Amino acid sequence: ISFMVVGCSDDQQPSIPESPASGVVERDGNIYYIDDSGKEITITSLGIDFQPSLSKDEKFVTFGRDNYDVMIEDMFGPPYPSREIWKASVDASDAPSLVAGHSLPANGEGSGHRYLSRPAFSNDNSEIYFLGASWATSSALLAVKLSDLSTRFVASSNYFEIIRSGSWAGDI
């Protein structure tokens, strides 16, 4: 895995490529896939989902979900719902499936990663990368291998992007 660091001054924003005609959106906590013709397919309808991300081949979507059945208590404030990472097919042919939950082991600390967010597929759809709150000043970049749901620590990070095309394709 290669890492590329992109910097910009406070008054500049990195350029983001235009979205394709198809894509995924979240509205009112529900996830929708919009195909090339503009047809909208409902992926989730529980009102507790967020941050959808489409796979490079546009066959799958990954997203975060708040699980109010598992409330997390810590010293930083009131209890909050467990945040989980889920996967579904864009044609809604299968039910969404859980791929990662709040009880992931921390990198050598034993406390576990919490507040999972920003899921994104690897270019070959074999893994989903995501962030998990871990330390006072940094989150952990984690990856879950979809073949066996094993999770690995990648790096300390508060942000990441997966390069989708060009000579750096597949790098983070």
Side-chain angles (χ1 to χ4, degrees), residues 50-51 65-66 72 74 80-85 101-103 112-118 130-134 139-140 142:
F50 57 91
Q51 296 176 334
R65 174 172 282 176
D66 286 330
I72 307 299
D74 62 25
Y80 55 90
S82 168
R83 285 205 149 175
E84 303 169 337
I85 304 299
H102 79 282
S103 60
H113 300 288
R114 59 195 182 287
Y115 206 74
L116 307 182
S117 64
R118 293 196 29 83
F130 57 96
L131 296 175
S134 300
S139 292
L142 304 160

Side-chain angles (χ1 to χ4, degrees), residues 109-157:
E109 295 187 10
S111 64
H113 300 288
R114 59 195 182 287
Y115 206 74
L116 307 182
S117 64
R118 293 196 29 83
F121 283 97
S122 61
N123 278 359
D124 64 1
N125 294 343
S126 66
E127 293 183 298
I128 295 175
Y129 292 94
F130 57 96
L131 296 175
S134 300
W135 305 284
T137 59
S138 180
S139 292
L141 174 58
L142 304 160
V144 61
K145 189 175 187 179
L146 294 176
S147 62
D148 62 8
L149 300 184
S150 62
T151 303
R152 66 184 173 89
F153 173 83
V154 179
S156 295
S157 178

Side-chain angles (χ1 to χ4, degrees), residues 10-24:
D10 289 341
D11 61 344
Q12 295 176 322
Q13 293 295 320
S15 63
I16 298 173
E18 288 186 31
S19 298
S22 60
V24 290

Side-chain angles (χ1 to χ4, degrees), residues 21-25 27 32-41:
S22 60
V24 290
V25 296
R27 279 194 311 277
Y32 303 90
Y33 172 70
I34 302 165
D35 69 16
D36 289 331
S37 71
K39 178 183 173 193
E40 190 172 279
I41 299 169

